[in-house]
Amino acid sequence: MSGRLAIVLHTHMPYVEGFGVWPFGEEWLWEAMAGSYLPLLDVLEAGAAVTLSVTPVLADQLEAEGVADRFREFLTGVRRETHRLDAAELRAVGASELAVELERAAGDYEWALARFESIAGDLLGALAPYAAWTSAATHGLLPLCASDAGVRLQVAGGIAAHRARFGAWDGGFWLPECAYAPWLEPVLAAAGVRSCCVDLTGHFGLGSPAHLQPMRGPGGPVLVPIDRRTIDLVWHEQGYPGAGAYRDYHRYTTFRHRPWANDGRPYDHGRALALAGEHAADFVARTLARLDRDPGLAVCAMDTEFLGHWWYEGVAWLDAVVGEAAAQGLELVQLDEALAEEPPVERAEHRLPVCTWGTGGDLSTWSGPPVADLAFGVREAELRVLRAGDAVGDTAARELLAAQASDWAFLETRALAGDYPRARVHAHLAALERALAGDPSSAARNLAVHAGRAALLAP
């Protein structure tokens, strides 16, 4: 295989529809829509060869009743007013340059509104032609499921949701948090999964040529290593987004707007965009150099929300990467296309280790001491559902799926959202208990509408 680059964007949002607004809740979804998904749509429509996964739980929310109107209200009501108030406060203390930047940045939300209206408020429909890969129904961490039946519920629900919404599916399945365990392979293969990404940095070593070669074991799906050497140019504490000219994500005004650059100066959008172009050229050049040394398939995988929301200039950088790849002779390829054109190597090792793309490459982010009680509580709930057998209804299955989402343990371990993630798990487990006792009501309104008890109880 000649050297090629596959950029894989994992598009995901925890289920926040109807669960809080600020500072934790639906506002996360609105910001991702405005800052990441709508800008990315322009890049996709221009023909960029990017592999896009859209999680079923994000799709659940994008098609939920009332979401489009609440998003519009956020743009026209909340964001217009908060920018106005912050700009006035900055001017009152003599920080006119910062106020001018806030007024410029307010235009991002006006642009998002116009772009949203241009697709008739149907963001999911606009993303549909590019949604190649699916994922688990609610982004549950599969190696932490207590049973094969629990894994089947997540996997089958995710696949059913993708087929119902998007039709064709070539078998690409994003393992939540890139969490792989060898015992998952038979369940994945039986569900029709043909390929998934894994992070084997701790196994092969950073920069090993083995990360550039998809592999397959007996009867299992193709395992596609992601290449940390390439990813770390971007998604690392020393990566591009930390440069001085880029917008500082961590410093904000009263209403959490960000008019500063990383170097402490007032943010200059033109300066930052110029640097994004330079970094795109550098990324392509470094990727070419890596592939010249070790020909193969470099997979640069990252969360879609990292581009635009976390790294404000990230979508502009991606757009520039597409242009630089053409200019410098780097072949960008969609992952399914690459896997179809070149067969994977047969895996020499019978078993690979349990691994994730989390801290340490292991499961500790989702099962370590800060969240061990959550992990075991959810596993115990799964076993109770299994023991209930035919008494299990779709409501109980959905509440179990909601509690299994990997997002809650991640947010709790990183202390990113106060008591919100722990409260969410406890609320879903309580609703599960009520469902097992015969109460069919559910707080998870539009969650996992294509998953149900049948997948859980299948042999």
Side-chain angles (χ1 to χ4, degrees):
M1 179 190 293
S2 59
R4 293 186 287 180
L5 171 68
I7 297 175
V8 178
L9 298 182
H10 175 53
T11 315
H12 169 64
M13 180 62 54
Y15 188 73
V16 294
E17 188 260 334
F19 286 93
V21 179
W22 188 91
F24 314 121
E26 284 192 329
E27 192 163 309
W28 294 345
L29 179 60
W30 311 147
E31 288 289 0
M33 290 168 68
S36 295
Y37 307 154
L38 287 165
L40 176 64
L41 192 58
D42 283 355
V43 180
L44 296 172
E45 289 180 348
V50 172
T51 303
L52 192 72
S53 81
V54 175
T55 64
V57 66
L58 171 59
D60 289 339
Q61 297 174 88
L62 291 180
E63 69 178 11
E65 183 179 355
V67 160
D69 287 340
R70 295 202 299 280
F71 178 54
R72 291 184 180 102
E73 173 57 27
F74 174 76
L75 298 175
T76 60
V78 175
R79 279 296 169 248
R80 282 178 184 170
E81 183 66 1
T82 57
H83 280 90
R84 185 189 68 79
L85 291 171
D86 271 345
E89 181 179 324
L90 289 168
R91 281 201 168 86
V93 297
S96 59
E97 283 186 272
L98 297 176
V100 168
E101 164 52 25
L102 276 189
E103 289 162 349
R104 183 208 64 81
D108 293 345
Y109 295 88
E110 301 300 330
W111 176 91
L113 177 61
R115 189 68 174 96
F116 192 62
E117 299 301 357
S118 77
I119 55 174
D122 183 11
L123 180 54
L124 185 61
L127 291 172
Y130 315 101
W133 280 36
T134 190
S135 187
T138 59
H139 214 256
L141 200 80
L142 301 183
L144 287 184
C145 289
S147 66
D148 283 357
V151 175
R152 282 197 302 270
L153 179 63
Q154 284 281 350
V155 174
I159 293 171
H162 186 93
R163 284 179 165 148
R165 288 176 173 126
F166 307 126
W169 177 60
D170 289 333
F173 189 91
W174 182 267
L175 295 172
E177 316 297 358
C178 277
Y180 164 84
W183 60 83
L184 296 174
E185 290 199 40
V187 181
L188 293 170
V193 174
R194 297 171 57 189
S195 52
C196 48
C197 290
V198 291
D199 188 343
L200 292 166
T201 307
H203 183 62
F204 292 132
L206 182 66
S208 167
H211 297 301
L212 306 179
Q213 181 59 66
M215 67 190 82
R216 176 164 46 208
V222 175
L223 302 180
V224 185
I226 62 175
D227 184 36
R228 278 284 178 186
R229 180 70 80 187
T230 304
I231 295 168
D232 282 355
L233 294 172
V234 185
W235 202 350
H236 189 274
E237 59 186 17
Q238 272 82 52
Y240 301 135
Y246 291 137
R247 190 158 84 174
D248 187 346
Y249 182 82
H250 301 284
R251 184 181 181 187
Y252 42 80
T253 61
T254 299
F255 291 99
R256 302 184 74 88
H257 299 303
R258 300 172 176 87
W260 291 275
N262 286 325
D263 60 10
R265 296 163 57 184
Y267 179 74
D268 182 330
H269 194 45
R271 179 173 74 128
L273 289 181
L275 185 60
E278 294 174 17
H279 280 154
D282 181 72
F283 176 82
V284 171
R286 288 173 182 262
T287 303
L288 278 170
R290 169 142 174 72
L291 292 171
D292 283 344
R293 291 191 304 271
D294 301 306
L297 177 67
V299 176
C300 180
M302 63 190 80
D303 288 339
T304 299
E305 299 75 21
F306 176 71
L307 302 177
H309 177 59
W310 297 96
W311 181 19
Y312 179 60
E313 302 81 7
V315 177
W317 169 84
L318 176 64
D319 191 34
V321 164
V322 175
E324 283 291 336
Q328 295 188 40
L330 173 63
E331 184 181 0
L332 283 178
V333 63
Q334 291 183 332
L335 191 49
D336 287 337
E337 177 184 328
L339 297 176
E341 292 175 354
E342 188 76 17
V345 299
E346 295 301 318
R347 198 167 73 220
E349 299 166 280
H350 181 60
R351 290 174 69 88
L352 292 169
V354 175
C355 57
T356 74
W357 70 356
T359 301
D362 56 26
L363 297 173
S364 59
T365 297
W366 300 274
S367 63
V371 291
D373 62 317
L374 297 181
F376 281 100
V378 173
R379 286 168 61 87
E380 181 183 358
E382 178 186 328
L383 295 175
R384 285 203 303 277
V385 168
L386 284 174
R387 287 195 295 269
D390 289 341
V392 176
D394 286 346
T395 296
R398 282 196 296 272
E399 295 295 349
L400 174 62
L401 286 165
Q404 286 177 326
S406 72
D407 312 280
W408 315 133
F410 174 82
L411 291 168
E412 180 72 9
T413 296
R414 298 293 183 87
L416 294 174
D419 61 359
Y420 183 82
R422 186 171 288 275
R424 288 294 306 275
V425 174
H426 290 161
H428 289 299
L429 292 181
L432 168 62
E433 290 300 323
R434 292 194 301 271
L436 290 177
D439 182 354
S441 62
S442 173
R445 298 179 295 188
N446 199 58
L447 177 69
V449 294
H450 298 283
R453 62 187 296 275
L456 186 68
L457 300 177

